[in-house]
């Protein structure tokens, strides 16, 4: 039981490049989400999903896309990276289809230059 | 949406002393208040949470208190140890919602 696995751990992108941050969980959790963590701002919700085929926007969705084709995977796509997207990204899951009792992944530190 | 404020931003205590971190929230409908601990370079981990039907909850050296009238809640750590050193985040939500609103974090340093 690996919990929530995120890849990569570190990434440097050039402005305008695209990439996908991967998140997978093996706990059969219904709820999955992506947060970004910026200094002095806590964690902010980007997108979330309450089940396969169901996604919705959070507080800061602009510049990001998600999909949920399986219960296990919830990738986050940066369409055209900008320096403002430099951040640490965390994936979180919950056994209930709500924001409750999160299990976080280990994070991806992204730098956009 | 909900707005959660957290104080202090940094806190240093001597080993064995108590530490208190306070959070306020704006949405009177919020009724779920978790606390997360994040050690340096690690993922946030849930350490304790409280629902608004109780005013206090304890788990060994950790306790959380809630004052719904004043819209604030606090984390209390007693007999602090060096391994308590971390960043602590409070959060607030309406139970059943799809987002947690996090505070900005408190960096706790326990001095041996």
């Amino acid at each position: 039981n690996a919990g929530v696995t995120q890849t990569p751990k570190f990434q440097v992108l050039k402005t305008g490049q695209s990439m996908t941050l991967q998140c997978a969980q093996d706990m059969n959790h219904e709820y999955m989400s992506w947060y970004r963590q910026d200094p002095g701002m806590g964690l902010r919700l980007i997108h979330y999903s309450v089940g396969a085929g169901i996604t919705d926007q959070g507080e800061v969705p602009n510049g990001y896309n998600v999909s949920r084709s399986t219960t296990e995977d919830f990738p986050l796509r940066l369409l055209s990276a900008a320096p403002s997207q430099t951040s640490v990204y965390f994936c979180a899951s919950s056994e209930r289809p709500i924001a409750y009792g999160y299990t976080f992944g280990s994070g991806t530190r992204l730098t956009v230059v | 949406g909900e707005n959660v404020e957290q104080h202090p931003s940094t806190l240093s205590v001597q080993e064995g002393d108590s530490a208190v971190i306070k959070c306020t929230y704006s949405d009177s409908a919020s009724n779920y208040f978790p606390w997360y601990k994040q050690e340096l370079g690690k993922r946030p981990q849930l350490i304790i949470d409280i629902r608004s039907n109780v005013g206090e909850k304890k788990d060994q050296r950790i306790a959380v208190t809630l004052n719904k009238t004043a819209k604030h809640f606090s984390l209390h750590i007693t007999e602090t140890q060096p391994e308590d050193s971390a960043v602590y985040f409070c959060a607030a939500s309406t139970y059943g919602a799809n987002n947690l609103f996090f505070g900005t974090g408190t960096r706790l340093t326990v001095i041996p």
Side-chain angles (χ1 to χ4, degrees), chain B residues 66-111:
Chain B
L66 171 65
N67 183 327
K68 285 215 70 176
T69 302
K71 289 192 283 189
H72 68 71
F73 56 111
S74 300
L75 178 71
H76 304 253
I77 306 174
T78 58
E79 302 172 20
T80 54
Q81 302 168 3
E83 52 264 39
D84 294 329
S85 296
V87 177
Y88 291 81
F89 291 95
C90 63
S93 180
T94 304
Y95 184 81
N98 294 305
N99 189 11
L100 286 181
F101 294 90
F102 285 85
T104 51
T106 296
R107 182 174 300 280
L108 173 65
T109 302
V110 179
I111 304 166

Side-chain angles (χ1 to χ4, degrees), chain A residues 35-89:
Chain A
Y35 283 81
R36 60 178 288 173
Q37 183 178 34
D38 301 297
M41 299 190 72
L43 293 98
R44 292 178 294 166
L45 181 66
I46 304 171
H47 286 284
Y48 68 92
S49 168
V50 296
I54 306 170
T55 64
D56 207 345
Q57 297 181 350
E59 296 174 76
V60 288
N62 292 341
Y64 308 94
N65 273 355
V66 293
S67 60
R68 184 103 179 263
S69 56
T70 67
T71 300
E72 294 79 18
D73 299 299
F74 191 46
L76 178 72
R77 297 183 185 85
L78 280 70
L79 310 173
S80 177
S84 61
Q85 294 179 304
T86 294
S87 187
V88 179
Y89 292 84

Side-chain angles (χ1 to χ4, degrees), chain A residues 4 31 35 37 40-43 45 48 50 59 90 96-102 104-106, chain B residues 32 36 38 41-46 49 51 89 93 95-104:
Chain A
V4 180
Y31 176 96
Y35 283 81
Q37 183 178 34
M41 299 190 72
L43 293 98
L45 181 66
Y48 68 92
V50 296
E59 296 174 76
F90 285 99
R96 306 182 190 184
I98 57 174
Y100 176 84
Y102 283 162
F104 280 95
S106 56
Chain B
Y32 172 60
Y36 286 83
Q38 186 178 26
K42 300 290 183 63
R43 70 192 76 191
Q45 292 192 302
L46 179 68
D49 59 12
R51 302 268 299 270
F89 291 95
S93 180
Y95 184 81
N98 294 305
N99 189 11
L100 286 181
F101 294 90
F102 285 85
T104 51

Side-chain angles (χ1 to χ4, degrees), chain B residues 48-65:
Chain B
I48 194 167
D49 59 12
I50 192 169
R51 302 268 299 270
S52 63
N53 55 341
V54 297
E56 183 176 4
K57 184 176 179 181
K58 285 185 178 180
D59 183 3
Q60 299 181 3
R61 297 185 297 108
I62 292 174
V64 57
T65 58

Side-chain angles (χ1 to χ4, degrees), chain B residues 4 15 22-23 31 39 44 47 56 60 67 69 95-96 111:
Chain B
V4 179
E15 183 177 357
K22 298 181 180 181
C23 290
N31 57 12
E39 298 177 10
I47 55 172
E56 183 176 4
Q60 299 181 3
N67 183 327
T69 302
Y95 184 81
I111 304 166

